[in-house]
Amino acid sequence: MISLTISCRRRFIGAMTGGTPRSAAINRALAQIANTEGIGLAVGSQRASLENGISQAELRDIAPNVPLIGNLGGVQLARAGGLDLAKRAVDDLSGGCACNPSQPAARGGAA
């Protein structure tokens, strides 16, 4: 008999949800898990959320002890108003925002 044990500890939850009412419920659940497990949470598209008037600020209350990682596409930052969008995204997550141009590219579209 061969026995194999694989151990993998996640560093953060990489969420791909943002900008819809359903995504808010998913992100709240993921924030609770992240806080319980002591791992960071990458939220979905902040551009989509902010453009739809949906704040993700409540996630900081749900997960006060872990990093929250924002998500904006580099394309959005390069457009007119991109710096304002970035500031709004940082403010929405209380300072936790990162630009990751590879996520939208990997999905084949804009963030």
Side-chain angles (χ1 to χ4, degrees):
M1 174 184 267
I2 297 174
S3 177
L4 175 64
T5 301
I6 299 173
S7 177
C8 179
R9 177 133 174 105
R10 287 185 168 266
R11 300 284 188 250
F12 68 93
I13 298 170
M16 297 302 290
T17 58
T20 67
R22 187 170 180 196
S23 67
I26 293 168
N27 280 338
R28 283 192 299 272
L30 292 174
Q32 289 175 334
I33 293 166
N35 200 61
T36 298
E37 296 298 320
I39 55 178
L41 171 64
V43 301
S45 175
Q46 286 186 278
R47 177 204 46 87
S49 294
L50 293 170
E51 286 179 356
N52 289 316
I54 299 170
S55 173
Q56 297 185 46
E58 70 176 333
L59 299 179
R60 176 50 61 209
D61 294 330
I62 297 169
N65 302 314
V66 299
L68 295 179
I69 303 165
N71 177 356
L72 290 176
V75 172
Q76 283 77 41
L77 295 176
R79 291 183 182 157
L83 184 57
D84 179 58
L85 177 64
K87 288 177 182 177
R88 289 175 32 219
V90 170
D91 289 345
D92 194 50
L93 289 182
S94 300
C97 183
C99 176
N100 184 353
S102 66
Q103 278 188 334
R107 291 194 313 266

